Amino acid sequence: EPEVTQTPSHQVTQMGQEVILRCVPISNHLYFYWYRQILGQKVEFLVSFYNNEISEKSEIFDDQFSVERPDGSNFTLKIRSTKLEDSAMYFCASSEGWNEQFFGPGTRLTVL
Amino acid sequence: AQSVTQLDSQVPVFEEAPVELRCNYSSSVSVYLFWYVQYPNQGLQLLLKYLSGSTLVKGINGFEAEFNKSQTSFHLRKPSVHISDTAEYFCAVTTGQGAQKLVFGQGTRLTINP
């Protein structure tokens, strides 16, 4: 069964460093998403991506964040200068259309 | 804008007992509703979804949910739970059409006691 994969599973970084979180969506999907879940809180939408451009982004997704689909298979989230409050679980998701998003296992980001 | 409220942050039940996890939503437009489950140290897995048609939807692992438009609710039920159902359950909504974001509730931690 096809699945969304994410690497790494856990990333530890120092405050102010850049991190890139990687995702491989399901191959025939057209829509891609990043969500995050701060420990003990709800899952929050960050950004959606379709046809090689951002289709929607939340208030959280400020200038420190960027997304890219560098080739036909990967979808990345970059945080330019990490802050302590960026520590969270980051989930990638993909979908064919709007009616079901498939989630990856997540990357736990710890900013020290 | 849409919002989702899960009224119970934690629900402890005994094995083989029935369970209901409550979800209410708020939206000015039609919504589509989902329940996701997150097992410990894993990602989110879709349990069931309501898109249209019958308001009673059945999902995986014996779960079902009923969409009630007048009460803006989408409660999740299972008649008899197992230890393996211990997980975090999230209710979510989207308005559909294109790359629509999911708006999640706070989550309900279901703990099954033997």
Side-chain angles (χ1 to χ4, degrees), chain A residues 19-73:
Chain A
V19 294
I20 298 176
L21 310 183
R22 292 184 165 79
C23 169
V24 179
I26 294 173
S27 61
N28 63 332
H29 285 184
L30 303 175
Y31 302 91
F32 313 109
Y33 313 80
W34 283 102
Y35 293 81
R36 79 172 186 190
Q37 184 183 27
I38 294 172
L39 188 63
Q41 298 186 24
K42 70 168 85 174
V43 177
E44 301 173 288
F45 169 78
L46 291 178
V47 65
S48 58
F49 192 85
Y50 171 71
N51 201 25
N52 285 318
E53 61 182 25
I54 291 173
S55 49
E56 188 176 358
K57 59 184 181 180
S58 71
E59 292 175 354
I60 304 166
F61 195 87
D62 61 21
D63 292 344
Q64 292 299 313
F65 290 87
S66 62
V67 288
E68 194 177 33
R69 189 155 161 81
D71 52 43
S73 58

Side-chain angles (χ1 to χ4, degrees), chain A residues 15 31 36-37 55 70-71 83 89 92 94 96 107 109:
Chain A
M15 191 168 54
Y31 302 91
R36 79 172 186 190
Q37 184 183 27
S55 49
D71 52 43
K83 307 183 189 72
M89 182 74 90
C92 173
S94 69
E96 275 186 279
T107 293
L109 176 65

Side-chain angles (χ1 to χ4, degrees), chain B residues 3-89:
Chain B
S3 67
V4 177
T5 302
Q6 291 182 243
L7 297 163
D8 306 297
S9 58
Q10 296 188 59
V11 173
V13 296
F14 288 106
E15 195 173 16
E16 297 183 10
V19 69
E20 179 180 81
L21 306 184
R22 296 180 292 169
C23 171
N24 287 88
Y25 68 92
S26 172
S27 176
S28 57
V29 299
S30 295
V31 295
Y32 305 93
L33 296 144
F34 304 80
W35 275 98
Y36 281 85
V37 59
Q38 185 180 29
Y39 297 106
N41 301 314
Q42 294 188 29
L44 299 165
Q45 181 182 3
L46 182 69
L47 267 182
L48 48 78
K49 59 188 176 185
Y50 172 77
L51 304 179
S52 65
S54 173
T55 56
L56 182 65
V57 292
K58 294 188 185 297
I60 62 171
N61 301 338
F63 284 93
E64 64 181 32
E66 185 153 21
F67 171 57
N68 188 319
K69 189 174 181 180
S70 62
Q71 296 188 6
T72 60
S73 67
F74 190 55
H75 300 333
L76 180 71
R77 300 186 188 100
K78 186 169 181 177
S80 176
V81 295
H82 302 288
I83 294 283
S84 59
D85 293 324
T86 295
E88 188 97 18
Y89 292 79

